[in-house]
Amino acid sequence: MNEAFADGFEVIPAVDVQDGEVVQLVQGERGTGKRYGDPVEAAERWIDEGAETLHLVDLDGAFEGERVNAPAFEAIVDAVGDDVALQLGGGIRTAEDARALLDLGIDRVILGTAAVEDPPIVEAISETHPGTVVVSLDAKDGEVVVSGWTESTGLDPAAAAERYEELGAGAILFTNVDVEGQLEGIDRGAVEAVVDAVDVPVIASGGVASLDDVAALEEAGAAAVVVGTALYEGSFTLREAQRAATGDGAE
């Protein structure tokens, strides 16, 4: 996992899928989504624009607890699996589910609710597939939330990140739900707290609205950023974001 980000800060386009279509939600709430078409077409678009990794999320799976959009992601693996790294989350609840996805061609599995409810699952998957588990810590009002961002756990994100690193997590995906999908900017301090707590890579997500936000996350020590709405709405291009992360072109 560390090697995945060895070449520097990475900008990762999001391909979130609901009812078989690409959707971006506002603050993670159902019914707020704007649709952006076919998942395979979106994946191919981002690869053409220079993506090295794609962030895939089964939104129905996140809410319902089972992977509803498996056919869409299998189609993405078939279409682009050898061209980029693929990380997938949403509805993965067992080690068997995770291993099946990794054997299918997914490079990293993202565990949120399952990791919070059953922390040993991280260790179990890591034993057979080292470095492939990304633990997703979604924060709302300063606490980790689960089940599609609907239930608070009372956990502090930085303390939780430390715990999962000890269990073998290859990376932490930190999403600030308070700013998710609003195009109003990031919460740099919240990201820095998680980065400072662990040695494994931290992937930031939520609120990216400008190239300055991308540059700020790189400066905060994140290894990568997941960008969704800003890319789909044309706030900036993927290549502009990649340049901003290297200090060349931030506005």
Side-chain angles (χ1 to χ4, degrees):
M1 175 62 64
N2 288 296
E3 293 179 357
F5 305 102
D7 294 332
F9 188 83
E10 190 174 344
V11 181
I12 305 175
V15 182
D16 297 352
V17 179
Q18 188 172 37
D19 298 326
E21 290 186 281
V22 177
V23 170
Q24 289 292 302
L25 303 181
V26 177
Q27 289 187 292
E29 294 184 7
R30 295 182 93 162
T32 62
K34 183 173 180 180
R35 299 183 180 274
Y36 296 96
D38 179 72
V40 172
E41 291 178 2
E44 291 176 334
R45 169 191 172 184
W46 299 130
I47 292 171
D48 288 344
E49 293 190 18
E52 297 178 3
T53 300
L54 294 178
H55 178 79
L56 313 176
V57 178
D58 187 332
L59 291 172
D60 296 296
F63 289 113
E64 306 297 342
E66 58 184 66
R67 296 192 305 109
V68 177
N69 293 288
F73 297 118
E74 289 169 4
I76 290 175
V77 171
D78 289 342
V80 306
D82 293 334
D83 298 326
V84 294
L86 299 174
Q87 56 188 42
L88 171 64
I92 303 171
R93 295 292 187 264
T94 68
E96 290 74 19
D97 280 348
R99 293 189 186 104
L101 287 166
L102 293 165
D103 292 340
L104 174 70
I106 297 296
D107 298 283
R108 309 169 199 146
V109 288
I110 304 167
L111 302 181
T113 301
V116 172
E117 294 182 347
D118 181 24
I121 191 176
V122 176
E123 193 170 23
I125 300 166
S126 298
E127 286 177 355
T128 57
H129 295 74
T132 62
V133 178
V134 178
V135 172
S136 176
L137 299 176
D138 303 334
K140 194 171 188 177
D141 298 326
E143 296 183 358
V144 175
V145 291
V146 295
S147 298
W149 306 301
T150 61
E151 298 178 17
S152 179
T153 64
L155 294 173
D156 173 74
E162 285 186 277
R163 179 185 187 189
Y164 292 112
E165 180 180 31
E166 292 172 357
L167 290 170
I172 301 296
L173 171 67
F174 178 66
T175 301
N176 191 330
V177 179
D178 294 323
V179 297
E180 173 73 15
Q182 298 186 82
L183 293 180
E184 293 181 358
I186 61 167
D187 182 344
R188 176 171 171 169
V191 175
E192 287 179 334
V194 176
V195 169
D196 290 344
V198 296
D199 292 325
V200 295
V202 174
I203 307 166
S205 176
V208 174
S210 69
L211 297 178
D212 281 341
D213 288 335
V214 174
L217 288 170
E218 191 276 335
E219 292 167 2
V225 60
V226 173
V227 185
T229 303
L231 287 176
Y232 286 99
E233 287 296 307
S235 299
F236 48 78
T237 69
L238 178 57
R239 293 195 186 281
E240 286 172 338
Q242 291 168 333
R243 287 196 296 270
T246 64
D248 178 18
E251 295 177 344

